[in-house]
Amino acid sequence: MTDVAPEADLRAGLEAILLVVDEPVTEMTLAQVLERPVQEIATVIRQLSAEYTEAGRGFDLREVAGGWRFYTRAECAPLVERFVRDGQQTRLTQAALETLAVVAYRQPVSRARVAAIRGVNSDGVMRTLVARGLVEESGTDPESQAVLYRTSSYFLERMGLKDLDELPELAPFLPDDVETLEEQK
């Protein structure tokens, strides 16, 4: 962009700045950053806002709290909410799912027991499950003093269960020779 930007560059500059702000920014601040008169900024920003609304874009450019900022259009709120709630943030890795299953069916259980069942160190995965609120500490083992873990009420909520009794039986999913496998360990 040049120092004396044509209107297209001014519009692009406004959009770029407004895209990265996390709180409303004043016309004065925009004018200072873009080195343009406040009245010109006010006119262009109102034109942009009207164009976005007229075009039915998924976002609005709104004047709130003495400044301007992009917001999700109200009609799109359910989609955005579903993405935030059920999207990338809640996906678990295969290792996390396996660890969560061990905790759910064997609780209260220590990290060492989870690692023994899975056959790999599960410390990092367990920390992730605790951080996400799916697993919580439930005391210590009286013999080994190891921290014990159980699933949380948030786990039940996310799984749509009233209590752990509603977990499906594991027997149909186990191999026929599971007893032989346990004896060989």
Side-chain angles (χ1 to χ4, degrees):
M1 292 181 55
T2 61
D3 285 342
V4 180
E7 187 173 329
D9 284 347
L10 175 58
R11 293 165 66 90
L14 283 168
E15 289 172 333
I17 292 167
L18 291 167
L19 191 62
V20 299
V21 300
D22 58 357
E23 60 185 41
V25 62
T26 66
E27 292 170 1
M28 176 64 77
T29 301
L30 292 168
Q32 289 171 344
V33 170
L34 295 167
E35 299 177 338
R36 302 301 292 255
V38 174
Q39 188 54 47
E40 184 179 10
I41 297 295
T43 299
V44 173
I45 206 163
R46 282 173 177 72
Q47 288 171 352
L48 286 170
S49 178
E51 288 171 20
Y52 299 147
T53 300
E54 185 179 319
R57 304 294 292 261
F59 56 88
D60 280 324
L61 179 54
R62 295 187 210 147
E63 184 176 18
V64 292
W68 290 86
R69 182 175 175 212
F70 283 121
Y71 290 88
T72 304
R73 187 168 301 285
E75 299 83 47
C76 297
L79 296 172
V80 174
E81 183 179 320
R82 188 171 63 211
F83 174 78
V84 171
R85 189 173 16 95
D86 298 332
Q88 298 167 327
Q89 294 181 357
T90 58
R91 295 190 196 279
L92 295 175
T93 63
Q94 185 67 33
L97 290 171
E98 291 171 6
T99 302
L100 189 55
V102 171
V103 173
Y105 283 96
R106 296 288 184 120
Q107 61 188 306
V109 63
S110 68
R111 286 184 186 190
R113 182 71 179 137
V114 172
I117 292 169
R118 290 192 60 232
V120 295
N121 184 319
S122 300
D123 290 352
V125 175
M126 193 68 92
R127 280 192 296 276
T128 298
L129 293 172
V130 169
R132 290 188 179 197
L134 295 166
V135 170
E136 61 191 12
E137 291 184 12
S138 66
T140 56
D141 183 285
E143 293 178 18
S144 67
Q145 298 304 308
V147 174
L148 298 175
Y149 294 89
R150 66 179 176 214
T151 54
S152 65
S153 57
Y154 180 65
F155 165 80
L156 293 174
E157 179 185 329
R158 297 297 297 162
M159 296 299 292
L161 304 172
K162 284 186 233 170
D163 55 45
L164 293 172
D165 293 335
E166 291 187 343
L167 281 173
E169 292 294 320
L170 278 180
F173 302 104
L174 296 175
D176 293 333
D177 59 347
V178 71
E179 290 178 12
T180 308
L181 292 172
E182 283 293 319
E183 290 172 5
Q184 292 175 354
K185 285 188 174 182

